[in-house]
Amino acid sequence: KCVRELAAPAFGHEVVKRAVTAALPKDSTSRKAMSELLKKLVLEEVVSTTQAKRGFARLNDALDDLKCDVPNAADLLKEFEASATRDGVLSS
């Protein structure tokens, strides 16, 4: 609801980036819940697949910084991308 109320579809990439960044250091249950949230946001057309793709690209660009806080960030990001592809958030 909050993301929809922002009414800023051009910033969907920022929502994706911040959501995944916040979930990376959490446990697998929390990461799965965040994947489900991203899926719902895309299915309800709150965030476009184009914006989701851009958000994941930005995460990959920032991977070195993410690894400072979460050493296994690369592996976790790959898991997020696999879930996003499987869920239709990212095209294969």
mmCIF file of all heavy atoms in Angstrom, residues 21-53:
data_model
loop_
_atom_site.group_PDB
_atom_site.id
_atom_site.type_symbol
_atom_site.label_atom_id
_atom_site.label_comp_id
_atom_site.label_asym_id
_atom_site.label_seq_id
_atom_site.Cartn_x
_atom_site.Cartn_y
_atom_site.Cartn_z
ATOM 1 N N THR A 21 18.344 -5.222 -0.290
ATOM 2 C CA THR A 21 19.435 -4.836 0.605
ATOM 3 C C THR A 21 19.045 -5.056 2.068
ATOM 4 O O THR A 21 19.848 -5.564 2.857
ATOM 5 C CB THR A 21 19.835 -3.365 0.380
ATOM 6 O OG1 THR A 21 20.261 -3.208 -0.976
ATOM 7 C CG2 THR A 21 20.954 -2.940 1.301
ATOM 8 N N ALA A 22 17.832 -4.713 2.415
ATOM 9 C CA ALA A 22 17.369 -4.897 3.795
ATOM 10 C C ALA A 22 17.244 -6.374 4.160
ATOM 11 O O ALA A 22 17.463 -6.759 5.313
ATOM 12 C CB ALA A 22 16.028 -4.198 3.988
ATOM 13 N N ALA A 23 16.905 -7.211 3.177
ATOM 14 C CA ALA A 23 16.685 -8.630 3.454
ATOM 15 C C ALA A 23 17.966 -9.457 3.449
ATOM 16 O O ALA A 23 18.001 -10.530 4.060
ATOM 17 C CB ALA A 23 15.704 -9.207 2.436
ATOM 18 N N LEU A 24 19.011 -8.993 2.786
ATOM 19 C CA LEU A 24 20.230 -9.792 2.664
ATOM 20 C C LEU A 24 20.789 -10.301 3.998
ATOM 21 O O LEU A 24 21.126 -11.473 4.103
ATOM 22 C CB LEU A 24 21.315 -9.026 1.893
ATOM 23 C CG LEU A 24 21.125 -8.922 0.391
ATOM 24 C CD1 LEU A 24 22.242 -8.065 -0.217
ATOM 25 C CD2 LEU A 24 21.086 -10.279 -0.274
ATOM 26 N N PRO A 25 20.892 -9.470 5.021
ATOM 27 C CA PRO A 25 21.478 -9.971 6.274
ATOM 28 C C PRO A 25 20.501 -10.780 7.142
ATOM 29 O O PRO A 25 20.888 -11.276 8.195
ATOM 30 C CB PRO A 25 21.909 -8.705 6.998
ATOM 31 C CG PRO A 25 21.005 -7.639 6.475
ATOM 32 C CD PRO A 25 20.693 -8.018 5.059
ATOM 33 N N LYS A 26 19.277 -10.913 6.703
ATOM 34 C CA LYS A 26 18.253 -11.613 7.491
ATOM 35 C C LYS A 26 18.311 -13.119 7.252
ATOM 36 O O LYS A 26 19.047 -13.608 6.401
ATOM 37 C CB LYS A 26 16.857 -11.090 7.126
ATOM 38 C CG LYS A 26 16.695 -9.601 7.227
ATOM 39 C CD LYS A 26 16.776 -9.128 8.648
ATOM 40 C CE LYS A 26 16.484 -7.626 8.683
ATOM 41 N NZ LYS A 26 16.811 -7.009 9.895
ATOM 42 N N ASP A 27 17.474 -13.862 7.971
ATOM 43 C CA ASP A 27 17.422 -15.314 7.811
ATOM 44 C C ASP A 27 16.649 -15.694 6.549
ATOM 45 O O ASP A 27 16.049 -14.838 5.886
ATOM 46 C CB ASP A 27 16.811 -15.980 9.048
ATOM 47 C CG ASP A 27 15.371 -15.564 9.306
ATOM 48 O OD1 ASP A 27 14.737 -14.950 8.422
ATOM 49 O OD2 ASP A 27 14.870 -15.868 10.400
ATOM 50 N N SER A 28 16.695 -16.969 6.208
ATOM 51 C CA SER A 28 16.085 -17.426 4.953
ATOM 52 C C SER A 28 14.581 -17.198 4.916
ATOM 53 O O SER A 28 14.027 -16.910 3.854
ATOM 54 C CB SER A 28 16.402 -18.905 4.709
ATOM 55 O OG SER A 28 15.853 -19.708 5.725
ATOM 56 N N THR A 29 13.919 -17.266 6.054
ATOM 57 C CA THR A 29 12.473 -17.015 6.094
ATOM 58 C C THR A 29 12.170 -15.569 5.727
ATOM 59 O O THR A 29 11.249 -15.297 4.950
ATOM 60 C CB THR A 29 11.909 -17.343 7.495
ATOM 61 O OG1 THR A 29 12.220 -18.702 7.805
ATOM 62 C CG2 THR A 29 10.417 -17.131 7.558
ATOM 63 N N SER A 30 12.953 -14.661 6.238
ATOM 64 C CA SER A 30 12.768 -13.240 5.930
ATOM 65 C C SER A 30 13.081 -12.943 4.469
ATOM 66 O O SER A 30 12.380 -12.170 3.819
ATOM 67 C CB SER A 30 13.658 -12.379 6.826
ATOM 68 O OG SER A 30 13.288 -12.541 8.172
ATOM 69 N N ARG A 31 14.132 -13.578 3.942
ATOM 70 C CA ARG A 31 14.467 -13.372 2.532
ATOM 71 C C ARG A 31 13.373 -13.916 1.626
ATOM 72 O O ARG A 31 13.016 -13.288 0.625
ATOM 73 C CB ARG A 31 15.823 -14.005 2.199
ATOM 74 C CG ARG A 31 16.991 -13.261 2.833
ATOM 75 C CD ARG A 31 18.328 -13.710 2.301
ATOM 76 N NE ARG A 31 18.544 -15.137 2.413
ATOM 77 C CZ ARG A 31 19.072 -15.747 3.464
ATOM 78 N NH1 ARG A 31 19.455 -15.047 4.516
ATOM 79 N NH2 ARG A 31 19.249 -17.054 3.459
ATOM 80 N N LYS A 32 12.806 -15.062 2.006
ATOM 81 C CA LYS A 32 11.715 -15.630 1.213
ATOM 82 C C LYS A 32 10.500 -14.703 1.258
ATOM 83 O O LYS A 32 9.832 -14.484 0.237
ATOM 84 C CB LYS A 32 11.341 -17.016 1.724
ATOM 85 C CG LYS A 32 10.278 -17.669 0.890
ATOM 86 C CD LYS A 32 9.979 -19.082 1.314
ATOM 87 C CE LYS A 32 8.889 -19.606 0.399
ATOM 88 N NZ LYS A 32 8.539 -20.967 0.644
ATOM 89 N N ALA A 33 10.202 -14.149 2.414
ATOM 90 C CA ALA A 33 9.077 -13.217 2.543
ATOM 91 C C ALA A 33 9.291 -11.983 1.663
ATOM 92 O O ALA A 33 8.349 -11.496 1.029
ATOM 93 C CB ALA A 33 8.890 -12.811 4.007
ATOM 94 N N MET A 34 10.525 -11.495 1.593
ATOM 95 C CA MET A 34 10.806 -10.334 0.746
ATOM 96 C C MET A 34 10.642 -10.702 -0.726
ATOM 97 O O MET A 34 10.119 -9.909 -1.508
ATOM 98 C CB MET A 34 12.207 -9.791 1.017
ATOM 99 C CG MET A 34 12.451 -8.468 0.348
ATOM 100 S SD MET A 34 11.318 -7.151 0.902
ATOM 101 C CE MET A 34 12.007 -6.780 2.497
ATOM 102 N N SER A 35 11.054 -11.894 -1.100
ATOM 103 C CA SER A 35 10.850 -12.352 -2.482
ATOM 104 C C SER A 35 9.359 -12.393 -2.811
ATOM 105 O O SER A 35 8.948 -12.007 -3.905
ATOM 106 C CB SER A 35 11.461 -13.735 -2.691
ATOM 107 O OG SER A 35 12.859 -13.661 -2.709
ATOM 108 N N GLU A 36 8.561 -12.854 -1.873
ATOM 109 C CA GLU A 36 7.108 -12.902 -2.069
ATOM 110 C C GLU A 36 6.530 -11.501 -2.210
ATOM 111 O O GLU A 36 5.624 -11.271 -3.011
ATOM 112 C CB GLU A 36 6.425 -13.655 -0.918
ATOM 113 C CG GLU A 36 6.664 -15.145 -0.942
ATOM 114 C CD GLU A 36 6.070 -15.816 -2.179
ATOM 115 O OE1 GLU A 36 4.928 -15.476 -2.552
ATOM 116 O OE2 GLU A 36 6.746 -16.677 -2.759
ATOM 117 N N LEU A 37 7.046 -10.562 -1.428
ATOM 118 C CA LEU A 37 6.586 -9.177 -1.528
ATOM 119 C C LEU A 37 6.912 -8.603 -2.908
ATOM 120 O O LEU A 37 6.058 -7.974 -3.537
ATOM 121 C CB LEU A 37 7.208 -8.314 -0.436
ATOM 122 C CG LEU A 37 6.878 -6.820 -0.514
ATOM 123 C CD1 LEU A 37 5.378 -6.580 -0.387
ATOM 124 C CD2 LEU A 37 7.639 -6.055 0.547
ATOM 125 N N LEU A 38 8.128 -8.839 -3.380
ATOM 126 C CA LEU A 38 8.500 -8.347 -4.717
ATOM 127 C C LEU A 38 7.601 -8.960 -5.782
ATOM 128 O O LEU A 38 7.158 -8.270 -6.706
ATOM 129 C CB LEU A 38 9.963 -8.648 -5.007
ATOM 130 C CG LEU A 38 10.981 -7.884 -4.165
ATOM 131 C CD1 LEU A 38 12.392 -8.377 -4.460
ATOM 132 C CD2 LEU A 38 10.861 -6.396 -4.378
ATOM 133 N N LYS A 39 7.328 -10.243 -5.643
ATOM 134 C CA LYS A 39 6.430 -10.929 -6.585
ATOM 135 C C LYS A 39 5.063 -10.258 -6.589
ATOM 136 O O LYS A 39 4.497 -9.960 -7.646
ATOM 137 C CB LYS A 39 6.305 -12.398 -6.196
ATOM 138 C CG LYS A 39 5.358 -13.195 -7.048
ATOM 139 C CD LYS A 39 5.292 -14.630 -6.519
ATOM 140 C CE LYS A 39 4.258 -15.452 -7.228
ATOM 141 N NZ LYS A 39 4.197 -16.836 -6.681
ATOM 142 N N LYS A 40 4.531 -9.982 -5.412
ATOM 143 C CA LYS A 40 3.213 -9.351 -5.299
ATOM 144 C C LYS A 40 3.214 -7.941 -5.897
ATOM 145 O O LYS A 40 2.279 -7.560 -6.605
ATOM 146 C CB LYS A 40 2.788 -9.314 -3.834
ATOM 147 C CG LYS A 40 1.389 -8.813 -3.602
ATOM 148 C CD LYS A 40 1.012 -9.003 -2.145
ATOM 149 C CE LYS A 40 -0.363 -8.471 -1.843
ATOM 150 N NZ LYS A 40 -1.447 -9.283 -2.347
ATOM 151 N N LEU A 41 4.278 -7.190 -5.642
ATOM 152 C CA LEU A 41 4.359 -5.836 -6.191
ATOM 153 C C LEU A 41 4.355 -5.847 -7.721
ATOM 154 O O LEU A 41 3.735 -4.989 -8.346
ATOM 155 C CB LEU A 41 5.608 -5.127 -5.674
ATOM 156 C CG LEU A 41 5.595 -4.725 -4.199
ATOM 157 C CD1 LEU A 41 6.966 -4.199 -3.785
ATOM 158 C CD2 LEU A 41 4.517 -3.700 -3.908
ATOM 159 N N VAL A 42 5.029 -6.824 -8.304
ATOM 160 C CA VAL A 42 5.056 -6.915 -9.766
ATOM 161 C C VAL A 42 3.725 -7.436 -10.297
ATOM 162 O O VAL A 42 3.187 -6.899 -11.268
ATOM 163 C CB VAL A 42 6.250 -7.774 -10.243
ATOM 164 C CG1 VAL A 42 6.146 -8.096 -11.727
ATOM 165 C CG2 VAL A 42 7.559 -7.046 -9.952
ATOM 166 N N LEU A 43 3.175 -8.459 -9.656
ATOM 167 C CA LEU A 43 1.899 -9.011 -10.118
ATOM 168 C C LEU A 43 0.779 -7.973 -10.058
ATOM 169 O O LEU A 43 -0.094 -7.957 -10.914
ATOM 170 C CB LEU A 43 1.507 -10.242 -9.309
ATOM 171 C CG LEU A 43 2.310 -11.510 -9.588
ATOM 172 C CD1 LEU A 43 1.924 -12.619 -8.622
ATOM 173 C CD2 LEU A 43 2.125 -11.964 -11.027
ATOM 174 N N GLU A 44 0.826 -7.109 -9.059
ATOM 175 C CA GLU A 44 -0.187 -6.061 -8.914
ATOM 176 C C GLU A 44 0.194 -4.794 -9.683
ATOM 177 O O GLU A 44 -0.469 -3.766 -9.550
ATOM 178 C CB GLU A 44 -0.424 -5.755 -7.442
ATOM 179 C CG GLU A 44 -1.067 -6.918 -6.707
ATOM 180 C CD GLU A 44 -1.386 -6.607 -5.255
ATOM 181 O OE1 GLU A 44 -1.179 -5.456 -4.817
ATOM 182 O OE2 GLU A 44 -1.852 -7.531 -4.568
ATOM 183 N N GLU A 45 1.264 -4.877 -10.449
ATOM 184 C CA GLU A 45 1.735 -3.781 -11.298
ATOM 185 C C GLU A 45 2.045 -2.501 -10.526
ATOM 186 O O GLU A 45 1.882 -1.397 -11.043
ATOM 187 C CB GLU A 45 0.756 -3.528 -12.442
ATOM 188 C CG GLU A 45 0.600 -4.742 -13.350
ATOM 189 C CD GLU A 45 -0.379 -4.528 -14.489
ATOM 190 O OE1 GLU A 45 -1.104 -3.516 -14.477
ATOM 191 O OE2 GLU A 45 -0.408 -5.380 -15.377
ATOM 192 N N VAL A 46 2.491 -2.673 -9.302
ATOM 193 C CA VAL A 46 2.961 -1.534 -8.512
ATOM 194 C C VAL A 46 4.394 -1.214 -8.923
ATOM 195 O O VAL A 46 4.788 -0.054 -8.996
ATOM 196 C CB VAL A 46 2.866 -1.840 -7.001
ATOM 197 C CG1 VAL A 46 3.426 -0.702 -6.168
ATOM 198 C CG2 VAL A 46 1.424 -2.139 -6.609
ATOM 199 N N VAL A 47 5.170 -2.274 -9.195
ATOM 200 C CA VAL A 47 6.531 -2.161 -9.707
ATOM 201 C C VAL A 47 6.572 -2.920 -11.024
ATOM 202 O O VAL A 47 6.117 -4.058 -11.103
ATOM 203 C CB VAL A 47 7.558 -2.758 -8.713
ATOM 204 C CG1 VAL A 47 8.956 -2.788 -9.313
ATOM 205 C CG2 VAL A 47 7.563 -1.976 -7.403
ATOM 206 N N SER A 48 7.097 -2.303 -12.065
ATOM 207 C CA SER A 48 7.165 -2.973 -13.366
ATOM 208 C C SER A 48 8.351 -3.931 -13.415
ATOM 209 O O SER A 48 9.307 -3.801 -12.644
ATOM 210 C CB SER A 48 7.302 -1.935 -14.483
ATOM 211 O OG SER A 48 8.584 -1.341 -14.436
ATOM 212 N N THR A 49 8.285 -4.874 -14.331
ATOM 213 C CA THR A 49 9.412 -5.794 -14.499
ATOM 214 C C THR A 49 10.653 -5.039 -14.971
ATOM 215 O O THR A 49 11.769 -5.405 -14.618
ATOM 216 C CB THR A 49 9.065 -6.928 -15.486
ATOM 217 O OG1 THR A 49 8.639 -6.360 -16.724
ATOM 218 C CG2 THR A 49 7.976 -7.828 -14.937
ATOM 219 N N THR A 50 10.456 -3.980 -15.725
ATOM 220 C CA THR A 50 11.585 -3.153 -16.166
ATOM 221 C C THR A 50 12.269 -2.504 -14.974
ATOM 222 O O THR A 50 13.501 -2.496 -14.872
ATOM 223 C CB THR A 50 11.106 -2.076 -17.163
ATOM 224 O OG1 THR A 50 10.491 -2.717 -18.271
ATOM 225 C CG2 THR A 50 12.252 -1.195 -17.625
ATOM 226 N N GLN A 51 11.472 -1.979 -14.050
ATOM 227 C CA GLN A 51 12.029 -1.363 -12.852
ATOM 228 C C GLN A 51 12.693 -2.409 -11.961
ATOM 229 O O GLN A 51 13.736 -2.147 -11.348
ATOM 230 C CB GLN A 51 10.949 -0.588 -12.093
ATOM 231 C CG GLN A 51 10.518 0.679 -12.781
ATOM 232 C CD GLN A 51 11.625 1.704 -12.851
ATOM 233 O OE1 GLN A 51 12.318 1.963 -11.882
ATOM 234 N NE2 GLN A 51 11.803 2.298 -14.015
ATOM 235 N N ALA A 52 12.097 -3.605 -11.881
ATOM 236 C CA ALA A 52 12.694 -4.679 -11.084
ATOM 237 C C ALA A 52 14.055 -5.061 -11.663
ATOM 238 O O ALA A 52 15.035 -5.215 -10.920
ATOM 239 C CB ALA A 52 11.761 -5.881 -11.044
ATOM 240 N N LYS A 53 14.125 -5.174 -12.970
ATOM 241 C CA LYS A 53 15.384 -5.512 -13.633
ATOM 242 C C LYS A 53 16.442 -4.446 -13.336
ATOM 243 O O LYS A 53 17.592 -4.758 -13.038
ATOM 244 C CB LYS A 53 15.155 -5.637 -15.139
ATOM 245 C CG LYS A 53 16.376 -6.021 -15.915
ATOM 246 C CD LYS A 53 16.053 -6.177 -17.396
ATOM 247 C CE LYS A 53 17.282 -6.529 -18.199
ATOM 248 N NZ LYS A 53 16.989 -6.670 -19.626
#
